[in-house]
């Protein structure tokens, strides 16, 4: 692996054992933001990170109150004439159920071969810890950073980031910068170094279908009243056609389609569709007609039912017409689509197709906007050079199907270009039992972060600051 200087590499080699112990210490704190009983653990994690930043020499470190779990903020601003970069990661993690599927307790980190196994090992404590150790190494060996850094480590990403936008608005002046770097993404299939250039946005809603006040006897009332479960099934069936196209009027109006060159770039990615299908244990892959699996997975909008319930679900038979039925529905959105506009189109269409005899309501469960960073942006190319220098091969450019709402927030609120520099292996089982981080990705990723800051230091801040 290539590194920026021998002193820094020697420091990293000398501290490898203590670095892994520090990593484990961070992973041991059960910072599950979605569960109120872990609020103290989230704060303890924030305090741990703040103490680590201070020990490395980062200034103005604080736990910024948000109304929920705190944001850890700190900065180092002594690189005159160099770009200023916001570094974003999140320290909260997903719940751990089902516990019986874990090989080892989720908050007792274990090194298994070349893997760190624990909740948060990849998403996102592992990547956050890499930034901590890169910063420590730079300040310990050079006494300074090559660029100006402002750290924003959030504690509510896994529970919707409900307080972050308000905090960003309030702190707009303090967060003035040229670029945001987010480390919450990963590598491509086969663990190929990658730069994510696009993320999909999200519209999330709940459909509630209500009939009578209580369940009815299906013999006495069947044929006379509308069944809410049947009505919900009729609504859901009408949302998409057999060709995979979403039938909501206006849904595709703002979609920015791929150019022929972009489609060719996606097609050139080393993707084994049969292996992908086999790994999932599926008889076939399906989706919108006319697009490849990779295009459907990252560059096309979707609509999916995430949950559906209503009526009798116990053992045996109970002949009822349920009083109500419910479904949660999400749409992944692509560049130029607006989550609120899609929500209103969704609401209007559901109301239009709802059968008579029931009351149908739509509840907004939140969302986020899509994001796109050009491949030729100077900061994207700086990241590419850093990855090539440390991992030994040029990265591929990918479009991820998931959503990172803060990416759009940095673009919209702070008017910053965003580079997604992530190191998770593609099958790291984030959000599932036995989450893991590849320790080679972790170690080389630390060197990549150092190299990225050196690459950015050579650029004019005005060039870095250019947005779409």
């Amino acid at each position: 692996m290539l590194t920026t200087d021998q002193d820094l590499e020697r420091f990293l080699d000398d501290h490898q054992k203590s670095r892994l112990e520090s990593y484990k210490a961070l992973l041991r704190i059960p910072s599950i933001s979605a569960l109120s009983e872990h609020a103290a653990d989230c704060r303890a994690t924030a305090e741990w990170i703040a103490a680590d930043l201070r020990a490395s020499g980062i200034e103005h470190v604080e736990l910024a109150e948000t109304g929920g779990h705190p944001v850890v903020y700190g900065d180092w601003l002594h690189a005159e004439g160099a770009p200023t970069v916001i570094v974003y990661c999140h320290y909260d993690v997903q719940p751990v159920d089902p516990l019986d599927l874990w090989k080892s307790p989720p908050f007792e980190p274990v090194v298994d071969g070349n893997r760190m196994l624990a909740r948060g090992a990849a998403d996102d404590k592992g990547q956050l810890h890499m930034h901590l150790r890169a910063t420590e190494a730079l300040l310990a060996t050079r006494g300074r950073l090559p660029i100006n850094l402002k750290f924003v480590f959030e504690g509510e990403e896994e529970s919707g980031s409900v307080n972050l936008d308000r905090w960003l608005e309030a702190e707009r002046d303090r967060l003035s910068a040229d670029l945001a770097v987010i480390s919450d993404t990963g590598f491509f299939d086969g663990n190929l170094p990658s730069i994510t250039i696009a993320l999909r946005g999200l519209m999330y809603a709940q459909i509630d279908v209500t009939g009578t006040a209580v369940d009815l006897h299906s013999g006495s009332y069947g044929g006379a009243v509308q069944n809410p479960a049947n009505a919900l099934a009729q609504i859901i069936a009408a949302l998409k056609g057999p060709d995979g196209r979403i039938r909501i009027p206006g849904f595709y109006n703002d979609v920015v389609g791929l150019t022929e060159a972009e489609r060719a770039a996606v097609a050139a990615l080393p993707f084994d569709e049969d292996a992908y299908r086999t790994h999932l244990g599926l008889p076939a892959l399906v989706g919108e007609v006319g697009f490849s699996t990779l295009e459907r997975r990252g560059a096309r909008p979707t609509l999916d039912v995430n949950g559906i319930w209503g009526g009798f679900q116990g053992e045996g038979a109970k002949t009822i017409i349920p009083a109500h039925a419910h479904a949660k529905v999400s749409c992944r959105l692509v560049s130029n689509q607006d989550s609120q506009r899609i929500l209103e189109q969704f609401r209007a269409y559901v109301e239009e197709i709802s059968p008579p005899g029931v009351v149908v309501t739509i509840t907004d469960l939140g969302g986020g906007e899509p994001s796109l960073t050009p491949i030729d942006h100077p900061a994207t190319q700086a990241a590419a050079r850093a990855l090539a220098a440390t991992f030994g091969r040029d990265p591929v450019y990918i479009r991820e199907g998931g959503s990172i709402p803060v990416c759009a927030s940095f673009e919209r609120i702070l008017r910053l270009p965003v580079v997604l520099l992530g190191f998770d292996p593609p099958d790291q089982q984030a959000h599932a039992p036995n989450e893991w981080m590849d320790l080679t990705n972790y170690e080389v990723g630390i060197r990549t972060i150092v190299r990225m800051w050196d690459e950015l230091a050579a650029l004019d801040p005005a060039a870095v600051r250019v947005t779409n």
Side-chain angles (χ1 to χ4, degrees):
M1 71 184 71
L2 298 176
T3 52
T4 50
D5 57 63
Q6 292 182 345
D7 287 343
L8 186 138
E9 185 59 34
R10 189 178 303 113
F11 178 90
L12 289 173
D13 285 345
D14 290 346
H15 289 79
Q16 184 174 22
K17 184 176 180 180
S18 62
R19 181 162 61 252
L20 284 181
E21 290 307 311
S22 171
Y23 186 9
K24 290 179 180 179
L26 179 59
L27 294 173
R28 288 191 184 102
I29 312 174
S31 52
I32 305 172
S33 62
L35 302 180
S36 59
E37 60 264 35
H38 287 285
D41 295 313
C42 290
R43 184 164 292 272
T45 306
E47 291 171 345
W48 189 100
I49 294 166
D52 191 287
L53 287 169
R54 293 188 188 101
S56 293
I58 298 303
E59 301 169 339
H60 308 119
V61 178
E62 66 171 86
L63 269 60
E65 301 302 333
T66 66
H69 305 306
V71 168
V72 182
Y73 175 85
D75 59 41
W76 191 95
L77 305 174
H78 303 292
E80 186 175 353
T84 298
V85 175
I86 291 177
V87 176
Y88 170 92
C89 301
H90 64 88
Y91 64 79
D92 62 321
V93 300
Q94 281 278 315
V96 296
D97 53 304
L99 272 171
D100 60 325
L101 295 183
W102 284 81
K103 295 179 181 178
S104 56
F107 294 109
E108 294 180 16
V110 172
V111 175
D112 181 10
N114 198 44
R115 298 180 174 188
M116 179 70 80
L117 178 66
R119 173 59 87 227
D123 182 21
D124 189 34
K125 285 182 175 178
Q127 305 202 60
L128 188 156
H129 197 259
M130 291 159 61
H131 278 283
L132 293 178
R133 300 287 68 83
T135 303
E136 175 193 44
L138 280 167
L139 288 172
T141 58
R142 300 185 191 175
R144 60 183 291 104
L145 300 178
I147 60 173
N148 303 294
L149 293 181
K150 297 181 178 182
F151 297 93
V152 174
F153 295 146
E154 187 197 359
E156 296 182 323
E157 196 274 344
E158 300 289 12
S159 53
S161 297
V162 292
N163 294 294
L164 185 65
D165 279 9
R166 184 169 57 250
W167 183 79
L168 292 175
E169 293 276 9
E171 298 293 332
R172 191 194 306 265
D173 290 342
R174 179 163 63 160
L175 298 175
S176 174
D178 301 302
L179 173 73
V181 170
I182 295 176
S183 292
D184 192 17
T185 53
F187 282 8
F188 189 66
D189 294 18
N191 204 29
L192 298 179
S194 310
I195 297 176
T196 300
I197 59 168
L199 292 165
R200 291 193 290 197
L202 180 69
M203 185 284 294
Y204 205 132
Q206 181 166 316
I207 305 173
D208 297 298
V209 182
T210 305
T212 52
V214 296
D215 295 345
L216 299 177
H217 189 294
S218 64
S220 300
Y221 295 94
V225 301
Q226 180 67 265
N227 183 314
N230 290 355
L232 178 60
Q234 181 177 328
I235 292 168
I236 289 173
L239 292 174
K240 290 172 70 173
D243 59 356
R245 293 277 294 182
I246 297 159
R247 290 173 165 170
I248 298 170
F251 184 85
Y252 293 99
N253 286 357
D254 296 325
V255 171
V256 177
L258 294 173
T259 65
E260 288 304 313
E262 288 170 333
R263 296 195 76 175
V266 172
L269 290 171
F271 177 65
D272 187 332
E273 188 164 305
D274 287 337
Y276 178 73
R277 177 188 56 77
T278 301
H279 174 72
L280 292 172
L282 294 172
L285 299 174
V286 301
E288 187 181 2
V289 171
F291 297 92
S292 70
T293 297
L294 283 182
E295 288 172 339
R296 297 195 305 261
R297 200 173 80 173
R300 296 296 295 170
T302 65
L303 183 149
D304 287 293
V305 176
N306 306 121
I308 185 167
W309 68 100
F312 178 65
Q313 299 171 52
E315 185 178 355
K318 185 180 183 184
T319 51
I320 62 164
I321 295 173
H324 46 79
H326 315 269
K328 293 182 186 291
V329 178
S330 67
C331 294
R332 297 289 179 169
L333 311 176
V334 296
S335 185
N336 254 34
Q337 287 186 295
D338 179 271
S339 63
Q340 284 302 306
R341 185 177 301 122
I342 295 298
L343 173 66
E344 293 312 313
Q345 291 172 340
F346 175 78
R347 188 194 308 276
Y349 183 59
V350 169
E351 290 173 352
E352 177 188 336
I353 64 176
S354 295
V358 288
V359 175
V360 178
T361 57
I362 305 297
T363 302
D364 180 7
L365 298 182
E369 306 311 319
S371 174
L372 178 65
T373 300
I375 291 174
D376 60 359
H377 191 282
T380 306
Q381 287 305 300
R385 291 191 297 273
L387 283 163
T390 52
F391 281 90
R393 60 161 294 154
D394 290 335
V396 296
Y397 298 96
I398 60 176
R399 294 170 181 254
E400 277 294 338
S403 305
I404 304 177
V406 70
C407 189
S409 296
F410 283 145
E411 293 173 344
R412 176 176 53 85
I413 298 171
L414 302 181
R415 304 297 181 190
L416 295 179
V418 175
V419 170
L420 295 156
L421 182 66
F423 304 95
D424 284 354
D427 54 347
Q428 84 282 44
Q429 296 178 221
H431 296 208
N434 304 310
E435 180 180 348
W436 61 281
M437 168 61 87
D438 184 297
L439 288 175
T440 299
N441 288 24
Y442 169 82
E443 287 291 342
V444 182
I446 293 171
R447 279 83 171 171
T448 305
I449 292 167
V450 170
R451 187 71 175 232
M452 173 70 167
W453 301 158
D454 283 341
E455 291 284 349
L456 289 176
L459 299 179
D460 183 343
V464 173
R465 197 180 305 125
V466 172
T467 56
N468 294 348

